[in-house]
Amino acid sequence: MVNIKFVKENKEIDAAYGANLRFKAQENNIDIYTFMGKLTQCGGYGQCGTCVVDIVEGASNLSPRTAVEDRMLKKRPSSCRLACQTIVNGPISVVTKPDKKESLKKAKAEAAAKQAAEAAATQAKSEQASEEPASTVAE
């Protein structure tokens, strides 16, 4: 059994290893859809993108993001998932109906941090290359 904590609802539930996050939320009367999501949701097939949740703890205990999620959530941070596409393999904490503006800020900060890390790695490589002594040719 794994523990799923729904932060906004202040509710914890137990689920079997390998449970679908959307199904477990619905089974325990936890509303994961906004008003428009309730009207347009696809029934858990990953087609509508309305069951977005933010994983605040235990992201490593979930199935990897699917190609559908990558496409639907490209403007969201990596912590956001589609509940219908998420399989729970360990304890997690979830925020339902994450604020879009906050998610956008988080995604921009995540992208900036990634870009800064890549720039630092590139700079370190170029500094290392310039510090290496030129090899001498034996005559």
Side-chain angles (χ1 to χ4, degrees), residues 106-129:
K106 197 174 173 181
K108 284 181 181 180
E110 194 175 89
K114 184 178 178 183
Q115 194 174 34
E118 289 172 354
T122 303
Q123 184 178 359
K125 281 183 183 178
S126 65
E127 286 176 2
Q128 186 180 22

Side-chain angles (χ1 to χ4, degrees), residues 3-13 30 56-57 91-95:
N3 182 275
I4 303 171
K5 180 180 181 182
F6 291 92
V7 177
K8 285 183 180 177
E9 295 79 6
N10 196 26
K11 190 171 185 180
E12 291 188 32
I13 63 171
I30 295 171
V56 291
E57 284 182 31
I92 60 169
S93 292
V94 181
V95 172

Side-chain angles (χ1 to χ4, degrees), residues 2 4 15-21 23-24 86-89:
V2 297
I4 303 171
Y17 181 86
N20 178 279
L21 184 57
F23 179 76
K24 292 311 290 182
T86 304
I87 303 300
V88 182
N89 298 317

Side-chain angles (χ1 to χ4, degrees), residues 67-130:
V68 169
E69 287 179 285
D70 286 338
R71 187 179 75 244
M72 296 285 224
L73 301 173
K74 60 184 160 194
K75 292 186 178 178
R76 300 267 190 155
S78 60
S79 62
C80 284
R81 299 290 306 265
L82 294 179
C84 69
Q85 300 291 299
T86 304
I87 303 300
V88 182
N89 298 317
I92 60 169
S93 292
V94 181
V95 172
T96 56
K97 302 181 229 173
D99 183 75
K100 251 186 178 175
K101 289 179 184 176
E102 288 300 316
S103 284
L104 211 76
K105 285 180 189 176
K106 197 174 173 181
K108 284 181 181 180
E110 194 175 89
K114 184 178 178 183
Q115 194 174 34
E118 289 172 354
T122 303
Q123 184 178 359
K125 281 183 183 178
S126 65
E127 286 176 2
Q128 186 180 22
S130 66

